Amino acid sequence: MIVVKVGGAEGIDYQAVAQDAAALWKEGVRLLLVHGGSAETNRVAEALGHPPRFLTHPGGQVSRLTDPKTLDIFLMVYCGLRNKRLVELLQKEGVNAIGLSGLDGRLLEGRRKTAVKYVEDGKVKIHRGDYTGTVERVNRALLDLLLEAGYLPVITPPAISYEGEAINTDGDQVAALLATAYGAEALVYLSNVPGLLAHYPDEGSLVREIPVERVEEPAYLALAQGRMKRKVMGAVEAVRGGVRRVVFADGRVEAPIRRALAGEGTVVR
């Protein structure tokens, strides 16, 4: 099993991703595709007169403020446009892909956060009424059913809360949870950079490898800032949870999945 998370930033070649995934699938490789849609969501939100807002949390992480209207836009882009376009690309390659959100069949289930802490003007504040949460359960039985029937699942947030509400959730964490649930051979994160960069956005500062047993060393902890911290620590947790390796790789190139599996990018193991 290989789990591939395709980011939602500008510049990713979704056609190349679909062609590569289809070729691997036809060779008998079991795949789960997870995708984002952040850049498209920002564009649509601006066009609809509801610009995106982001919260910076005490730990330095940044998340999208998800009020009811933002959640509607999120559903439109992630479950609609981005998911179905990726399914379409795979179908063109002769793969019977099926698009699923975390809502469908309670595929991704978790707890909605009743309050979110954030920092503004140096002060810690609390925001209530946000539709965000963290996935805690994966409906593997549903995925096994689809895989055994020959369907390639294309999975997207949102998840569903225990109370039955749609909740915005982190796609990277979803991919890691799926990879851990399957004890995947590899978890591949494709984005619009060649991997983890020591000095973003300098692509010449690519970090080739992060050994899990050395992640607490200063040289590697320095990489774990902001959103990068969530990515690095999520990768470490996945490897410790049984995933053989995690690769952060370039989604702008031809054959991006194969190249990641060949070691191009940043390998965590």
Side-chain angles (χ1 to χ4, degrees):
M1 171 64 72
I2 295 169
V3 178
V4 179
K5 163 60 173 27
V6 190
E10 299 283 3
I12 293 173
D13 190 338
Y14 291 97
Q15 184 166 329
V17 172
Q19 288 173 341
D20 203 16
L24 288 164
W25 182 261
K26 290 174 184 177
E27 292 170 15
V29 177
R30 290 210 307 166
L31 288 172
L32 294 175
L33 292 186
V34 182
H35 69 83
S38 55
E40 193 77 47
T41 299
N42 292 345
R43 278 197 296 272
V44 172
E46 292 280 1
L48 293 177
H50 194 70
R53 293 174 59 198
F54 297 90
L55 299 176
T56 300
H57 304 288
Q61 296 95 338
V62 177
S63 69
R64 185 185 298 273
L65 191 155
T66 310
D67 58 19
K69 188 167 182 179
T70 297
L71 185 60
D72 284 345
I73 297 167
F74 187 89
L75 288 164
M76 289 164 57
V77 175
Y78 277 67
C79 306
L81 178 62
R82 182 51 57 210
N83 187 265
K84 298 315 169 195
R85 285 300 189 193
L86 188 48
V87 168
E88 177 189 36
L89 287 170
L90 288 160
Q91 293 286 358
K92 284 181 178 178
E93 297 298 323
V95 172
N96 204 1
I98 184 166
L100 296 166
S101 77
L103 301 169
D104 299 302
R106 302 190 81 90
L107 177 59
L108 305 171
E109 197 172 18
R111 194 173 309 281
R112 179 185 167 191
K113 297 176 182 176
T114 56
V116 180
K117 290 183 179 180
Y118 67 102
V119 179
E120 186 176 77
D121 299 327
K123 297 180 179 178
V124 177
K125 300 182 178 181
I126 294 178
H127 174 73
R128 302 185 191 279
D130 211 42
Y131 284 84
T132 59
T134 302
V135 176
E136 298 173 343
R137 297 181 190 168
V138 171
N139 185 350
R140 181 172 163 172
L142 174 57
L143 292 176
D144 288 343
L145 191 68
L146 294 169
L147 289 165
E148 288 164 14
Y151 296 99
L152 169 53
V154 180
I155 302 162
T156 182
I160 189 165
S161 73
Y162 296 124
E163 293 74 33
E165 304 160 305
I167 48 175
N168 184 1
T169 194
D170 182 63
D172 290 346
Q173 187 250 343
V174 166
L177 197 63
L178 287 165
T180 303
Y182 277 92
E185 170 68 25
L187 167 58
V188 175
Y189 289 104
L190 297 175
S191 66
N192 61 349
V193 290
L196 297 178
L197 305 178
H199 306 290
Y200 182 84
D202 177 12
E203 296 192 6
S205 66
L206 176 68
V207 178
R208 292 287 180 183
E209 185 171 1
I210 299 178
V212 167
E213 68 275 7
R214 296 179 60 195
V215 75
E216 302 296 337
E217 295 179 11
Y220 295 109
L221 281 177
L223 298 171
Q225 304 296 321
R227 278 191 61 82
M228 199 64 73
K229 181 176 183 178
R230 183 181 294 175
K231 288 179 180 290
V232 171
M233 299 315 296
V236 169
E237 288 173 17
V239 172
R240 287 174 175 165
V243 178
R244 293 281 298 277
R245 59 195 161 126
V246 179
V247 187
F248 295 96
D250 203 331
R252 304 167 298 178
V253 299
E254 291 295 315
I257 304 171
R258 287 183 192 275
R259 290 168 76 155
L261 295 174
E264 291 190 23
T266 303
V267 181
V268 183
R269 59 184 160 200

